[in-house]
Amino acid sequence: MTEVLLRGGRPWGLEGPADVLVRDGVIAGVGAGADASRARVVDVSGQLVLPGLVEAHCHLDKTLYGGPWIPHSADDTLAGRMSNDLGRRAELGVPSVERVIALLERMSAFGTTHVRTHTDVDPAVGLRGVEAVRQAAETLSGRLSVTQVAFPQHGLLTNPGTADLLEEALKSGVEAIGGLDPAGIDRDPVRHLDAVFELAEAYGAHIDIHLHDGGSLGMWELELIAERTAVTGLGGRVTVSHAYAMGQADEARQSRLAEKLAAAGVAIATAAVYSFPVPAVKVLRAAGVTVACGHDGIRDLWGPYGSGDMLERAMHLAYRSTFRRDEDIELALEAATYGGARALGLSGYGLAVGDRADLVVVPAGGAAEAVVVHPPRTLVMKEGVIL
């Protein structure tokens, strides 16, 4: 039996300091007076104790992290970035197991303990990305957990052979099926959603659909996804990533859509990158919609930015949402922790007795400060093991 006692920290959500006792990878006690006679005691007095950070949307297979600097070569359009990615990935050795490992190591050092990554699946790359990410994840299995979304980056209906490969990915153990702009890219939202939801139902998979389409078109697609989720009973297993259209709508339309998403059990994941619209986090949370966040691309052919630090990413989400009050900024931290955990369907996540001891300690007086300052991590723990 292994025991660790984190002494004197301030677990997020509690008013004052409390010891956290960890036994055999699980939180065994929170509060004063725990029997620590057999425990390794770590003094974290006055510091904030958080559950492990959750990266809910990234693209590990695309990363150039850990290699030499590659100047960005795409234009500023979505089509241009897609073409740049497709045209140069073989030249640059993408996907690379070594680079994925390097990025995962960085994420782990910043306190991320769970990652959802969208992995390209298409006739040109086949399942090589899935295999590369799987190999890297197995190498670092003691530091973080990785789940994959089989992602039709270059179209599902418009790229013949992709649908069959997506099914092969699910057969191989990939946990979720992805989609991409059912109207804007595939030009047939009904058939696109038919394909995605049928695969999810057949293999018991989660769904995570990229939706860049804006305006009324994007709002209509969000309603379609909510309706399809309700009809199929897949609530709690469906996420829409980006959802730019919601960030463009007026507050009344945002509120109506948020109610539909909440009733259907559809989560929203955002990366809050560049100047792209950010979904209305406060409106979504007020309606009960799960909101998660992630980096999107990290130093890849789509863009040179991204650090792997989810506290920094939460800061970007808060800043882009014009959050200034502590309670609002804290919503961004929730997206990088509990929101991500709900979107991924993680059980045993949190700071309560019985939860897995995936913990992060930071020298901050509270949640808002941790987001704004995103200070160095004092301690990172995965299933009771200090990394």
Side-chain angles (χ1 to χ4, degrees):
M1 183 166 60
T2 59
E3 292 187 359
V4 177
L5 184 74
L6 303 184
R7 176 82 76 189
R10 300 181 67 251
W12 183 26
L14 296 185
E15 290 297 325
D19 299 338
V20 178
L21 178 64
V22 173
R23 180 180 297 124
D24 292 338
V26 174
I27 296 175
V30 179
D35 178 9
S37 59
R38 294 172 293 181
R40 173 188 174 186
V41 177
V42 180
D43 186 1
V44 295
S45 295
Q47 300 189 64
L48 185 66
V49 181
L50 301 171
L53 304 175
V54 180
E55 164 62 77
H57 184 107
C58 67
H59 296 267
L60 294 175
D61 64 310
K62 288 177 165 64
T63 192
L64 300 168
Y65 193 89
W69 180 260
I70 305 294
H72 187 64
S73 53
D75 64 28
D76 293 330
T77 65
L78 176 60
R81 290 190 292 274
M82 289 174 68
S83 176
N84 185 61
D85 173 49
L86 193 60
R88 297 199 65 195
R89 62 188 182 187
E91 165 202 346
L92 296 172
V94 175
S96 162
V97 175
E98 292 74 22
R99 289 171 181 165
V100 176
I101 288 174
L103 179 52
L104 286 174
E105 288 177 335
R106 188 66 171 164
M107 289 176 164
S108 172
F110 280 127
T112 292
T113 55
H114 298 86
V115 176
R116 171 181 278 183
T117 183
H118 294 253
T119 306
D120 285 7
V121 173
D122 60 57
V125 75
L127 299 186
R128 287 193 293 113
V130 169
E131 293 158 359
V133 170
R134 186 172 288 149
Q135 183 177 337
E138 289 172 354
T139 300
L140 296 176
S141 61
R143 297 179 61 173
L144 34 64
S145 64
V146 178
T147 59
Q148 297 193 66
V149 182
F151 177 46
Q153 174 69 84
H154 301 286
L156 196 167
L157 305 177
T158 58
N159 196 0
T162 298
D164 290 338
L165 284 166
L166 292 173
E167 184 168 14
E168 288 301 314
L170 293 175
K171 287 179 179 178
S172 78
V174 168
E175 297 86 355
I177 177 73
L180 173 68
D181 294 335
I185 296 295
D186 265 355
R187 306 289 182 178
D188 192 335
V190 173
R191 284 182 58 220
H192 182 103
L193 294 179
D194 282 347
V196 170
F197 276 81
E198 285 171 8
L199 284 171
E201 289 184 287
Y203 292 93
H206 280 241
I207 293 172
D208 196 326
I209 299 173
H210 281 60
L211 188 61
H212 309 95
D213 290 339
S216 297
L217 176 63
M219 291 291 280
W220 175 66
E221 290 174 89
L222 283 164
E223 291 180 357
L224 281 182
I225 293 168
E227 291 167 4
R228 186 67 66 96
T229 302
V231 167
T232 56
L234 291 178
R237 301 175 66 84
V238 178
T239 300
V240 178
S241 289
H242 303 314
Y244 293 160
M246 190 188 185
Q248 297 169 322
D250 61 58
E251 188 169 345
R253 293 189 70 195
Q254 290 175 346
S255 295
R256 288 196 295 271
L257 176 63
E259 294 293 339
K260 291 180 180 179
L261 295 171
V266 176
I268 297 292
T270 181
V273 294
Y274 301 102
S275 60
F276 298 129
V278 178
V281 175
K282 289 175 71 172
V283 173
L284 289 165
R285 291 300 299 126
V289 178
T290 291
V291 177
C293 71
H295 279 79
D296 205 9
I298 300 176
R299 197 180 298 179
D300 58 23
L301 288 167
W302 289 68
Y305 297 101
S307 67
D309 182 353
M310 281 304 298
L311 284 183
E312 181 185 68
R313 180 48 47 193
M315 182 273 291
H316 283 285
L317 176 56
Y319 185 87
R320 290 290 318 285
S321 301
T322 66
F323 292 163
R324 296 181 178 89
R325 295 164 59 90
D326 276 17
E327 57 265 38
D328 293 339
I329 295 171
E330 194 163 350
L331 291 175
L333 181 58
E334 190 208 30
T337 52
Y338 291 100
R342 288 193 296 271
L344 271 60
L346 302 179
S347 60
Y349 176 91
L351 295 173
V353 173
D355 289 336
R356 281 189 314 275
D358 296 343
L359 305 172
V360 186
V361 178
V362 293
E369 182 183 357
V371 170
V372 173
V373 178
H374 42 93
R377 308 309 106 99
T378 300
L379 177 145
V380 177
M381 175 181 285
K382 176 63 175 172
E383 296 185 1
V385 177
I386 297 175
L387 305 177

